[in-house]
């Protein structure tokens, strides 16, 4: 995918869900994120593509501030990312994240994994949380595994539970950090099917082996390609050949 | 032999004294140790500094010096009128808390970072992440070193005897001053300690096995 284009469909600013402005991030001498400007609107699916080690995960992690940035600004739903603390925690609850390596809570059953955020963060009553958790687990096709521990599941099953765990919070944005890169080919399909199903239901889909940030209603797709040195956007609609240079790394 | 039977009340009192002192200072050390370990892994630099200073201070000071401070400095500077038992409790609890803290911190470090990141990503606060996700998973690795720490605490509590707190080791001084055969006294005192320390390691082994099947 070498052709490059930019979408310029000027949406109202109120619809901007995730906004990155001049974001820079260094790991020591390594300048991983270079002046990233990125706006994700409600209902948009953004796919970030780039070679290994180019900073896709880092970009994803800065959006819910698991990684701090050196310069620039990030805001979600109009609110700038606050400092570490209660307010940031509240904001993170609205940003679902699915990790490359699943990261299910090892000491909790599948059901508890999906309930925990609801009961402890959202303060949802237990019965209600359990009902929602079971429905979500059914939806991602692992309803029968509810009482097992994560270590007893296959990778594909674990990742589907992780998706259910993120969805249980009712997020405004879903961040998928290469949700299938740690999976065998057969398992990739399970997970992709789940994500496609979610997309059809108005929940965010994702691309295989890529970092995807997608707000929770999918309408149009906008790819942010990131090959070697640059991130470029490709619009769902009109395609122009002017790269929207978002440098991630030299 | 007769020393034990003739002075059963003294031995019993000392035995119970040691158990109570160990339990109380063990509980204090656990609470402090968990809190300080939380400080040491917290995102707040002043708390991290406080935690590091606490551990450095109490882990590197000889326990006897802490007892001397508790006896002669604390009453003068901080709060006068503490009973000897309370002072012994503070010295033992603070000293042991430094070791408990480091055991817990090493346990925390064995929990993969992704666990805490996943917890934070669903909106848990630092405190919730620690309490609900990290500490429960750290528990298993912390049990064996904690067992050693509590056995050491039991034996360390003997120092309180030298500061005239009623406990098992103090019985030895009491009776040998009365002129009884020292070898027998020591034997019974040693057996008293063995009973306590064996119980501790047994309990911890049980706990370890219980946690082993829970996952
Ligand atoms: N915590 C860290 N400390 C130092 N360097 C880091 C850290 N995390 C990532 N890096 C470096 O930053 C660069 C980008 O890493 P990142 O994980 O974002 O890459 P990626 O695009 O997601 O790669 P992959 O496709 O392999 O997952 C890499 O060169 C990596 O070595
Ligand atoms: Mg990555």
């Amino acid at each position: 995918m070498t052709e490059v284009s930019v979408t310029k469909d000027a949406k109202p600013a109120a619809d901007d869900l995730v906004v990155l402005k001049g974001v820079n991030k260094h790991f020591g001498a390594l300048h991983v994120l270079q002046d990233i400007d990125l706006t994700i609107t409600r209902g948009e699916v953004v796919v970030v593509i780039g070679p290994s080690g180019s900073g896709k995960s880092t970009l994803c992690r800065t959006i819910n501030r698991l990684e701090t940035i050196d310069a620039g600004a990030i805001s979600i739903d109009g609110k700038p990312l606050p400092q570490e603390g209660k307010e940031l925690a509240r904001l993170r609850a609205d940003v679902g994240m699915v990790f490359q390596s699943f990261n299910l809570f090892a000491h909790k059953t599948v059901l508890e994994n999906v309930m925990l955020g609801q009961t402890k963060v959202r303060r949802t009553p237990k019965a209600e949380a359990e009902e929602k958790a079971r429905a979500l687990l059914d939806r991602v096709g692992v309803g029968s595994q509810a009482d097992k521990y994560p270590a007893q599941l296959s990778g594909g099953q674990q990742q589907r539970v992780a998706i259910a765990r993120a969805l249980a919070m009712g997020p405004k944005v879903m961040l998928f950090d290469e949700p299938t890169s740690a999976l065998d080919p057969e398992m990739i399909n399970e997970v992709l099917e789940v994500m496609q199903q979610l997309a059809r239901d108005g929940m965010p889909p994702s691309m295989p082996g890529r970092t995807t940030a997608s707000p929770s209603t999918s309408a149009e797709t906008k790819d942010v390609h990131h090959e070697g040195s640059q991130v470029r956007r490709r619009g769902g609609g009109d395609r122009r050949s002017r790269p929207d240079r978002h440098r991630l790394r030299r | 032999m007769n020393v034990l039977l003739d002075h059963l009340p003294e031995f019993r009192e000392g035995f119970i004294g040691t158990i109570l002192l160990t339990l109380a200072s063990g509980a204090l050390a656990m609470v402090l140790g968990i809190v300080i370990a939380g400080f040491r892994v917290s995102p707040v630099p002043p708390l991290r500094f406080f935690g590091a200073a606490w551990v450095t201070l109490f882990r590197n000071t000889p326990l006897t010096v802490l007892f001397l401070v508790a006896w002669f400095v604390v009453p003068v500077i901080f709060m006068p009128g503490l009973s000897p038992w309370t002072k012994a409790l503070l010295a033992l609890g603070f000293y042991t808390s430094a070791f408990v803290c480091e055991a817990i911190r090493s346990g925390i470090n064995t929990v993969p970072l992704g666990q805490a990141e996943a917890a934070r990503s669903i909106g848990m606060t630092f405190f919730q992440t620690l309490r609900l996700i990290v500490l429960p998973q750290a528990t298993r690795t912390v049990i064996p070193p904690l067992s050693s720490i509590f056995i050491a605490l039991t034996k360390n509590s003997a120092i309180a005897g030298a500061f005239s707190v009623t406990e098992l080791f103090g019985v030895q001084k009491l009776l040998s001053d009365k002129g009884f055969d020292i070898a027998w006294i020591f034997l019974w005192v040693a057996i008293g300690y063995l009973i306590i320390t064996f119980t501790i390691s047994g309990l911890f082994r049980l706990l370890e096995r219980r946690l082993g099947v829970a996952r």
Side-chain angles (χ1 to χ4, degrees):
Chain A
M1 296 211 244
T2 42
E3 94 259 57
V4 172
S5 55
V6 194
T7 35
K8 285 287 166 227
D9 41 336
K11 297 218 169 176
D15 245 18
D16 290 351
L17 198 50
V18 179
V19 180
L20 283 78
K21 276 207 191 87
V23 169
N24 278 280
K25 167 81 186 169
H26 297 256
F27 282 122
L30 182 67
H31 197 173
V32 192
L33 303 180
Q34 303 181 14
D35 291 323
I36 306 284
D37 291 306
L38 176 66
T39 303
I40 305 173
T41 54
R42 219 174 289 275
E44 189 180 34
V45 177
V46 173
V47 181
V48 179
I49 301 169
S52 180
S54 54
K56 303 181 299 295
S57 297
T58 308
L59 178 65
C60 215
R61 291 161 55 84
T62 55
I63 293 176
N64 67 356
R65 211 173 180 280
L66 284 179
E67 214 73 76
T68 54
I69 54 176
D70 304 330
I74 300 177
S75 60
I76 292 178
D77 210 4
K79 288 193 262 317
L81 281 188
Q83 292 293 303
E84 195 73 44
K86 284 229 160 59
E87 211 184 323
L88 179 64
R90 257 197 299 278
L91 205 131
R92 280 189 183 129
D94 292 337
V95 179
M97 177 138 185
V98 177
F99 295 85
Q100 211 162 346
S101 47
F102 328 135
N103 293 341
L104 291 176
F105 304 132
H107 63 308
K108 298 279 178 191
T109 64
V110 163
L111 184 67
E112 288 166 344
N113 263 275
V114 184
M115 285 174 62
L116 205 61
Q118 298 184 67
T119 54
K120 300 295 178 182
V121 178
R122 295 279 192 230
R123 309 264 167 220
T124 313
K126 259 215 160 72
E128 199 179 311
E130 182 173 340
E131 198 179 332
K132 185 170 180 185
R134 288 198 188 276
L136 279 168
L137 287 172
D138 281 338
R139 194 159 143 204
V140 298
V142 286
S144 58
Q145 318 286 337
D147 297 321
K148 288 191 180 169
Y149 284 90
Q152 298 166 314
L153 301 186
S154 75
Q157 291 169 331
Q158 288 188 52
Q159 195 58 299
R160 285 185 277 163
V161 175
I163 293 172
R165 178 176 68 180
L167 289 176
M169 305 299 294
K172 295 176 184 161
V173 188
M174 284 286 283
L175 303 169
F176 290 94
D177 183 8
E178 311 194 45
T180 57
S181 71
L183 300 177
D184 295 336
E186 305 95 273
M187 293 176 182
I188 288 180
N189 284 335
E190 308 179 341
V191 174
L192 288 184
E193 267 163 35
V194 164
M195 293 198 293
Q196 279 158 1
Q197 181 63 43
L198 293 175
R200 277 195 292 275
D201 301 352
M203 279 299 207
S206 174
M207 271 183 63
R210 296 293 179 255
T211 302
T212 308
S214 48
S216 43
T217 46
S218 69
E220 121 203 50
T221 303
K222 197 185 282 177
D223 292 2
V224 176
H225 293 275
H226 158 222
E227 285 145 357
S229 61
Q230 298 174 343
V231 183
R232 312 177 194 116
R233 320 191 72 190
R234 193 194 63 189
D238 70 332
R239 292 183 169 185
R240 282 179 238 158
S241 53
R242 186 162 55 84
D244 202 23
R245 269 176 293 253
H246 300 277
R247 300 182 69 93
L248 284 196
R249 184 183 161 212
R250 226 180 293 277
Chain B
M1 189 69 210
N2 274 344
V3 152
L4 176 69
L5 297 180
D6 293 348
H7 297 90
L8 209 50
E10 281 91 341
F11 272 105
R12 194 183 54 216
E13 212 175 306
F15 186 71
I16 291 171
T18 291
I19 290 180
L20 288 182
L21 190 57
T22 304
L23 279 179
S25 50
L28 177 65
M30 273 308 286
V31 172
L32 284 174
I34 292 173
V35 170
I36 303 291
F39 283 5
R40 292 209 68 178
V41 298
S42 89
V44 186
L47 289 185
R48 278 207 301 275
F49 177 80
F50 179 84
W54 179 281
V55 169
T56 308
L57 179 65
F58 289 108
R59 194 169 58 162
N60 297 313
T61 311
L63 184 52
T64 315
V65 174
L66 287 184
F67 266 93
L68 289 170
V69 170
W71 248 256
F72 302 112
V73 180
V74 170
V76 177
I77 299 180
F78 300 106
M79 42 174 106
L82 291 176
S83 72
W85 198 84
T86 314
K87 286 184 279 195
L89 166 77
L90 290 178
L92 283 167
F94 280 33
Y95 177 79
T96 309
S97 75
F99 294 90
V100 171
C101 165
E102 288 305 272
I104 289 175
R105 199 167 64 95
S106 75
I108 288 175
N109 287 338
T110 64
V111 180
L113 198 60
Q115 294 286 314
E117 287 188 343
R120 286 157 67 204
S121 80
I122 59 170
M124 287 192 189
T125 59
F126 169 78
F127 184 66
Q128 285 179 316
T129 302
L130 201 61
R131 185 168 57 88
L132 298 169
I133 305 300
V134 178
L135 284 179
Q137 294 189 63
T139 312
R140 261 200 74 177
T141 32
V142 172
I143 298 289
L146 274 188
S147 174
S148 305
I149 289 170
F150 284 121
I151 287 171
L153 170 62
T154 310
K155 298 184 291 182
N156 286 339
S157 71
I159 295 183
F163 285 83
S164 62
V165 174
T166 308
E167 57 79 60
L168 192 53
F169 191 71
V171 175
Q172 156 272 135
K173 191 167 173 296
L174 183 84
L175 295 184
S176 59
D177 283 353
K178 287 188 186 168
F180 289 99
D181 184 1
I182 207 125
W184 280 110
I185 302 173
F186 276 151
L187 181 70
W188 290 118
V189 167
I191 288 176
Y193 278 108
L194 277 180
I195 291 171
I196 298 175
T197 52
F198 270 45
T199 310
I200 291 177
S201 55
L203 284 176
F204 272 89
R205 215 170 306 137
L206 211 68
L207 203 62
E208 201 178 335
R209 209 167 313 143
R210 185 69 62 80
L211 288 170
V213 286
R215 204 178 324 170

